[in-house]
Amino acid sequence: MSDRSEKLTRWAAQAEKELKGRTPDSLTWNTLEGIAVKPLYSEEDLQGLEHLGTMPGLAPFVRGPRATMYAGRPWTIRQYAGFSTAEESNAFYRKALAAGQQGVSVAFDLATHRGYDSDHPRVEGDVGKAGVAIDSVEDMKILFDGIPLDKVSVSMTMNGAVIPILANFIVTGEEQGVDRKLLSGTIQNDILKEFMVRNTYIFPPEASMRIVADIIEYTAAEMPKFNSISISGYHMQEAGANLVQELAFTLADGREYVRAAIARGLDVDRFAPRLSFFFAIGMNLFMEAAKLRAARLLWSRVMEEFEPKKPQSFMLRTHCQTSGWSLAEQDPYNNIVRTAYEAMAAVLGGTQSLHTNSFDEAIALPTEFSARIARNTQLILQHETGVTKVVDPLAGSYYVESLTAGLAEKAWALIEEVEAMGGMTKAVIEGLPKRLIEEAATRRQAAIDRGDEVIVGVNKYRLENEDELDILDIDNRAVREAQIARIEKTRRQRDPKKWEETIAALKDVARSGKGNILEAAVEAARARATLGEISDALREAFGDHSAVPKVVRKVYGTAYEGEPEYENLVQRLEDFSKNLGETPKLLVAKLGQDGHDRGAKIIASAFGDIGFDVVAGPLFQTPDEAAELAVRSKVHVVGMSSLAAGHKTLAPQLVEALKAKGADNIIVVVGGVVPRQDYRFLLDHGVAAVFGPGTNVLDAARAVLDLLEGKRRNV
């Protein structure tokens, strides 16, 4: 027996004594990713790991894309923000830059994401609510007023309306006196993940991929300092993906975009160094750090297929953002701690830039107070912890290196599964990633509801009484009126002939397949075509994409098999159904332009397993359309899911629409990101119950059954 083996044997014996007869194996943690995490790692776990012994700045870049990493230059503090109007957002950015922020990251409102001008009737409840409203170059000029675009890099999270937004940005730079060659930053431009999770798409997948390729082509030629795409796993994790899924699907998306650009005739070394990535950082600290290391390892492997000559083409560079999903409404100051740990994980993993969430973002846009704490979290990390002094401090850790290899192995297997289907576009069309992510999300929710996964302050150590937070409340109506006034002014002052010519040229490029769509859109933006007009021109050529909602089954219920609490609820529903003479029917409705559907899908799946007859409504409905579907489907309850702050506009309109159709007997409930301050308003406007963030699904089902039994009704 070797000395190492003898030591492990002695340790196991000692551990068994401390565990009073249980073996150390009983401490193994089986993660959501299917990785068995042992209680102890040793040199034995490093045997055969091929990535060991590599150096930072050198392929395969496991230890970081730059040789000196933070010892030479710290990561960029890039806080993501956007507030109602361009004026307010501009003021916020300027203050943040003066206080130590090192780049601008723009959050757009949902109307903008979906390619609608603020005056469109479908976006009444969405304008300015979850980000800044941008309708034309005039808004974009205000947004960056006093911010030198040749010196400050700008990240823009935009996918659906990526063409008009990037066109407006380029023209804004021009009119600020900055040549497009000097513009630096990133446009997300990652449409494949929109079809999987976030759903802020506009056009069908094939047309959307053409847009991606056109942007890569244009920026490679005209904007050498600008990243043409940020391939995003962030929204996958936020939608419920485990870390293996986030890693695999993100890199598979990246491979698809590279293929699309090469098919366009572009040389790989011309654009690959400007590709960037975007990952979420959750609470599994060491695994998140290992994930970033594994991502760099696997991307280097992916790029070997394309035979680039430049080392930079093999290099994965990434922005990270701490998890929004891990933020809790309950005991919200805990979120400051969560964000700090997640930020540490991102830094230990070697991110190139970082956004830290504010503690109040579980329920609203951040206040100036909470945003300062979030920004200072990074400043403290950079200046007070010593974490910037050493390159890749986790290198050589038995645990982290083993995790890095384990994640890489599992993610590569899933990447190969996607390849066998014909690549990511085909996998997305067939629905594989979406289904796997929704199953993972539902499985995790069941674990939280059961108490198997502890969330401090939510399902354990909960406060008896919660203090109300001061939150940022956006006057949606005032923002919309101001935006409409500016749109009307822009349309009055532009040259109608020039506008008509550029829009016609854009339509021709889109229809014919000849020419570059972004190039044509820049001309249209210069002529003051609005975001909605540019989007409509492309809609005319490509059509709108409309997804058919599908709900996973037998995931939530399976996790609860044999649990008395669950079985009693199922039996209670069965008894009620017999008395009613039918199974109670629930419509899960998504209103407005909010495409985040994790909560809605979990509710639909779990309620279906409990025994409700569930109708999963399509995304982006108006209140009248949802009411029409509810009446046509003969539902007993409408559950409106809200994550983007439109509930005060949309929920009362839904109640009134049902009344107008003679269906005021249908119960309306609201769930999602709803501040407690808004509960009374909703209840006073006909909503029967409100289920805020962190609500146990079984508790929600019991409450809905109470309503059906007549214990409470909407008023």
Side-chain angles (χ1 to χ4, degrees):
M1 183 182 292
S2 70
D3 186 50
R4 281 193 307 225
S5 299
E6 186 186 351
K7 285 178 181 175
L8 281 171
T9 303
R10 287 169 58 197
W11 170 83
Q14 185 65 31
E16 198 164 330
K17 283 182 187 176
E18 292 176 8
L19 295 169
K20 297 182 170 50
R22 287 189 296 138
T23 67
D25 287 344
S26 66
L27 300 176
T28 296
W29 170 33
N30 292 300
T31 73
L32 297 163
E33 293 73 21
I35 291 175
V37 175
K38 302 182 297 182
L40 179 73
Y41 287 78
S42 70
E43 320 170 50
E44 304 287 336
D45 296 289
L46 301 184
Q47 302 302 308
L49 300 189
E50 293 180 4
H51 73 268
L52 297 181
T54 61
M55 298 299 285
L58 303 176
F61 305 103
V62 179
R63 302 191 62 188
R66 296 176 64 245
T68 57
M69 290 298 288
Y70 310 144
R73 187 180 73 208
W75 67 92
T76 300
I77 300 172
R78 192 186 302 280
Q79 294 297 90
Y80 177 59
F83 300 86
S84 62
T85 64
E87 289 90 344
E88 288 193 41
S89 296
N90 174 260
F92 181 88
Y93 297 152
R94 291 170 73 165
K95 280 183 186 175
L97 289 165
Q101 185 170 309
Q102 295 151 347
V104 170
S105 183
V106 183
F108 299 97
D109 73 357
L110 290 164
T112 304
H113 273 287
R114 291 270 296 142
Y116 293 114
D117 288 331
S118 297
D119 60 355
H120 198 286
R122 299 193 74 86
V123 301
E124 185 181 346
D126 296 304
V127 177
K129 291 298 286 187
V132 62
I134 298 293
D135 292 307
S136 75
V137 170
E138 297 303 321
D139 290 325
M140 192 77 83
K141 285 170 71 175
I142 295 167
L143 187 67
F144 294 115
D145 182 45
I147 297 171
L149 294 179
D150 55 342
K151 294 182 174 67
V152 176
S153 68
V154 176
S155 172
M156 293 179 286
T157 301
M158 178 53 64
N159 300 283
V162 63
I163 285 290
I165 284 295
L166 190 49
N168 283 336
F169 178 69
I170 291 166
V171 175
T172 295
E174 283 177 8
E175 297 187 8
Q176 204 185 79
V178 178
D179 189 283
R180 67 190 68 168
K181 288 183 169 54
L182 299 177
L183 295 172
S184 65
T186 303
I187 189 80
Q188 191 162 98
N189 193 29
D190 177 8
I191 201 63
L192 286 174
K193 70 98 175 46
E194 298 295 329
F195 296 111
M196 287 185 255
V197 288
R198 192 164 173 254
N199 300 311
T200 55
Y201 45 70
I202 301 174
F203 317 111
E206 293 86 351
S208 297
M209 286 297 293
R210 180 187 163 193
I211 287 170
V212 170
D214 274 14
I215 290 171
I216 293 172
E217 180 182 58
Y218 182 94
T219 53
E222 302 288 334
M223 303 167 72
K225 297 176 70 176
F226 199 81
N227 298 324
S228 57
I229 191 167
S230 175
I231 304 151
S232 173
Y234 182 88
H235 303 97
M236 298 181 199
Q237 188 180 140
E238 290 290 283
N242 63 44
L243 301 198
V244 166
Q245 291 168 345
E246 180 191 5
L247 192 52
F249 295 146
T250 304
L251 298 183
D253 280 352
R255 176 186 254 169
E256 197 83 341
Y257 296 136
V258 172
R259 285 172 176 162
I262 289 172
R264 182 60 57 86
L266 290 178
D267 178 78
V268 65
D269 286 316
R270 204 169 160 211
F271 66 87
R274 302 309 306 174
L275 301 177
S276 69
F277 288 79
F278 176 29
F279 288 103
I281 304 294
M283 285 298 291
N284 191 345
L285 192 147
F286 290 106
M287 192 169 287
E288 289 287 6
K291 178 185 76 183
L292 298 186
R293 304 173 90 249
R296 291 190 291 269
L297 174 68
L298 291 182
W299 185 244
S300 183
R301 187 186 300 176
V302 166
M303 290 304 294
E304 287 173 3
E305 171 190 341
F306 306 108
E307 300 180 351
K309 304 292 187 293
K310 291 182 179 177
Q312 296 91 327
S313 297
F314 293 90
M315 189 186 292
L316 181 146
R317 296 167 302 112
T318 190
H319 174 69
C320 289
Q321 180 174 337
T322 60
S323 171
W325 181 84
S326 72
L327 302 176
E329 179 201 32
Q330 297 81 3
D331 207 358
Y333 292 108
N334 289 342
N335 295 333
I336 298 172
V337 182
R338 291 186 179 104
T339 295
Y341 287 139
E342 290 169 350
M344 177 64 85
V347 168
L348 291 175
T351 190
Q352 277 60 69
S353 62
L354 179 62
H355 166 92
T356 34
N357 288 326
S358 300
F359 69 85
D360 51 359
E361 286 187 77
I363 50 176
L365 285 170
T367 62
E368 193 168 326
F369 170 72
S370 67
R372 177 171 60 85
I373 293 172
R375 182 177 60 251
N376 287 352
T377 299
Q378 294 198 57
L379 289 170
I380 290 166
L381 263 178
Q382 282 192 355
H383 296 288
E384 297 186 29
T385 64
V387 77
T388 62
K389 304 299 185 185
V390 175
V391 179
D392 191 22
L394 294 183
S397 159
Y398 303 141
Y399 178 37
V400 173
E401 298 290 14
S402 181
L403 273 183
T404 300
L407 281 167
E409 182 182 355
K410 283 187 171 291
W412 190 254
L414 188 50
I415 289 169
E416 292 291 271
E417 186 178 342
V418 168
E419 280 294 284
M421 295 178 73
M424 203 58 181
T425 304
K426 288 186 179 176
V428 165
I429 292 169
E430 291 182 28
L432 172 76
K434 195 174 189 71
R435 176 177 59 79
L436 293 180
I437 290 169
E438 286 172 5
E439 286 176 359
T442 306
R443 197 172 293 113
R444 187 171 191 187
Q445 187 62 49
I448 292 166
D449 288 350
R450 283 168 49 96
D452 298 336
E453 181 175 338
V454 173
I455 311 290
V456 174
V458 177
N459 63 359
K460 201 169 184 178
Y461 311 112
R462 188 152 181 180
L463 293 175
E464 286 187 25
N465 297 296
E466 298 272 356
D467 294 329
E468 280 194 359
L469 277 179
D470 289 329
I471 62 166
L472 185 67
D473 190 25
I474 303 294
D475 186 348
N476 161 247
R477 187 167 296 175
V479 174
R480 188 164 186 255
E481 286 172 357
Q483 288 299 123
I484 290 172
R486 190 177 291 145
I487 291 171
E488 290 172 348
K489 183 181 177 182
T490 299
R491 286 172 177 157
R492 281 196 311 271
Q493 293 182 341
R494 69 193 180 189
D495 180 340
K497 188 170 182 295
K498 189 68 176 171
W499 172 84
E500 191 175 342
E501 287 172 355
T502 57
I503 287 291
L506 175 62
K507 288 178 182 178
D508 184 60
V509 169
R511 283 199 200 99
S512 68
K514 297 175 182 176
N516 187 285
I517 293 170
L518 178 56
E519 186 176 12
V522 168
E523 295 301 320
R526 199 178 283 127
R528 290 318 190 255
T530 67
L531 173 133
E533 291 165 350
I534 292 172
S535 298
D536 284 347
L538 299 178
R539 281 186 170 100
E540 197 174 303
F542 301 139
D544 274 284
H545 178 72
S546 182
V548 178
K550 294 179 181 177
V551 178
V552 301
R553 292 288 163 82
K554 296 183 179 178
V555 175
Y556 191 92
T558 301
Y560 266 98
E561 276 182 1
E563 291 283 338
E565 179 187 24
Y566 178 80
E567 301 295 342
N568 290 340
L569 178 59
V570 171
Q571 188 59 55
R572 184 184 160 197
L573 183 62
E574 283 180 10
D575 295 341
F576 176 77
S577 299
K578 285 176 186 173
N579 293 331
L580 185 68
E582 60 182 325
T583 302
K585 188 178 281 191
L586 166 73
L587 167 63
V588 180
K590 287 290 295 182
L591 306 186
Q593 300 305 306
D594 173 29
H596 297 88
D597 61 353
R598 175 178 184 165
K601 288 292 184 65
I602 286 172
I603 289 294
S605 178
F607 272 58
D609 286 357
I610 292 164
F612 286 86
D613 186 357
V614 177
V615 178
L619 292 169
F620 315 125
Q621 285 194 305
T622 64
D624 195 66
E625 288 167 346
E628 177 63 33
L629 178 60
V631 172
R632 190 168 67 248
S633 303
K634 298 179 179 178
V635 304
H636 302 88
V637 183
V638 177
M640 174 184 152
S641 174
S642 176
L643 273 85
H647 49 271
K648 288 174 74 173
T649 301
L650 299 168
Q653 289 181 359
L654 173 62
V655 171
E656 291 305 311
L658 288 167
K659 285 180 181 176
K661 296 178 190 301
D664 52 347
N665 62 313
I666 295 177
I667 298 166
V668 176
V669 300
V670 175
V673 180
V674 181
R676 293 180 194 188
Q677 293 93 316
D678 293 349
Y679 285 17
R680 187 72 264 160
F681 175 90
L682 294 174
L683 296 172
D684 289 344
H685 285 80
V687 172
V690 183
F691 306 107
T695 299
N696 184 294
V697 174
L698 293 189
D699 289 344
R702 276 190 289 268
V704 169
L705 191 49
D706 287 347
L707 291 167
L708 287 164
E709 290 175 339
K711 295 176 184 177
R712 285 182 60 203
R713 303 294 294 184
N714 56 328
V715 292

